[in-house]
Amino acid sequence: MSLVRLTIKGISYSQTQSGAYALVLSEMEGTRTLPIIIGAFEAQSIAIALEKEIRPPRPLTHDLFKTFAERFQIELKQIIIHKLVDGVFFSSLICERDGVEETLDARTSDAIALAVRFQTPIFTYENILDKAGIYLKTEESLEIEDDADMEKIELIPDTDVIDSSDFSTLSLKDLEKQLNDAVHNEDYELAAKIRDEISKRS
């Protein structure tokens, strides 16, 4: 079976499952997307890895895994989403150490969180895309919020999270203070919104 390389197109709040997020992967050489439902922690971890400007005060679990692997000279070569059973995706980490390749089983959300940190390619098999892939109808659907950065994502949180319009009355200095506070409190969804407001004013 032929492998198809995927890229991350976005993450959004799941409209069907409370507390869950939809991670959308897209084939690099085509128009099919592969939506995967993941938990809030994994969505946040992926978002933080993609948002280069936001750094947690302490390493997250996936950051620790990367540090551990690098310390012991373990290279993550690629991840493969290799199976789909009853709506659940199964993935493998293809690792190498001292010229010996090992395959480790992993949840797809964890595998992708690691792939972003290691800058490792993500693959799936053609038959999985045929089974679970969705064709995008228009070119506009392929675009995410910022065309200049194809890996930028937007987390769409619950309605009780502060909307970015609430920041319009704050000064730049106040926004920077709130950004630091949000990062310190590990509220990365709020931090991303504040950062976007600061960017708009730059």
Side-chain angles (χ1 to χ4, degrees):
M1 290 182 288
S2 61
L3 287 172
V4 179
R5 186 165 178 178
L6 304 172
T7 185
I8 297 172
K9 298 304 292 184
I11 299 176
S12 65
Y13 190 76
S14 174
Q15 303 300 314
T16 58
Q17 295 188 31
S18 178
Y21 288 79
L23 168 67
V24 182
L25 304 175
S26 175
E27 61 178 333
M28 295 186 72
E29 302 287 336
T31 60
R32 287 174 295 181
T33 62
L34 192 65
I36 300 173
I37 300 300
I38 62 175
F41 170 78
E42 291 79 11
Q44 186 179 70
S45 181
I46 294 169
I48 291 166
L50 291 172
E51 296 285 356
K52 308 299 184 186
E53 298 172 20
I54 298 177
R55 292 198 172 196
R58 302 289 295 155
L60 301 178
T61 304
H62 299 111
D63 298 318
L64 178 61
F65 183 96
K66 182 175 186 289
T67 302
F68 180 89
E70 289 175 340
R71 183 67 55 87
F72 291 97
Q73 300 178 330
I74 300 169
E75 183 181 359
L76 181 60
K77 305 286 287 184
Q78 62 185 16
I79 74 159
I80 301 175
I81 303 170
H82 63 85
K83 188 166 63 173
L84 174 62
V85 179
D86 297 329
V88 178
F89 292 90
F90 293 77
S91 294
S92 297
L93 306 177
I94 312 301
C95 304
E96 185 178 298
R97 182 171 184 263
D98 295 334
V100 178
E101 190 171 277
E102 298 283 351
T103 301
L104 304 177
D105 183 40
R107 295 188 308 167
T108 298
S109 54
D110 289 328
I112 291 172
L114 291 173
V116 174
R117 285 165 170 80
F118 281 90
Q119 298 184 342
T120 299
I122 303 166
F123 294 96
T124 192
Y125 289 110
E126 186 71 39
N127 66 324
I128 292 178
L129 267 178
D130 287 339
K131 186 176 180 180
I134 298 172
Y135 282 92
L136 294 179
K137 294 180 181 178
T138 64
E139 192 65 29
E140 287 77 13
S141 302
L142 287 168
E143 298 176 1
I144 55 177
E145 190 174 31
D146 186 357
D147 292 334
D149 182 0
M150 293 306 290
E151 288 187 339
K152 181 178 178 184
I153 66 171
E154 179 186 15
L155 286 175
I156 305 174
D158 287 305
T159 53
D160 60 348
V161 176
I162 297 174
D163 187 77
S164 58
S165 61
D166 294 339
F167 300 127
S168 59
T169 59
L170 298 177
S171 69
L172 197 58
K173 185 176 180 180
D174 289 336
L175 287 171
E176 289 171 351
K177 182 180 183 303
Q178 288 204 16
L179 176 61
N180 290 333
D181 290 343
V183 172
H184 179 73
N185 294 328
E186 301 187 7
D187 188 348
Y188 302 110
E189 294 176 15
L190 179 59
K193 283 180 172 289
I194 298 171
R195 184 219 56 227
D196 289 343
E197 179 66 24
I198 292 172
S199 296
K200 280 193 285 186
R201 298 188 189 186
S202 301

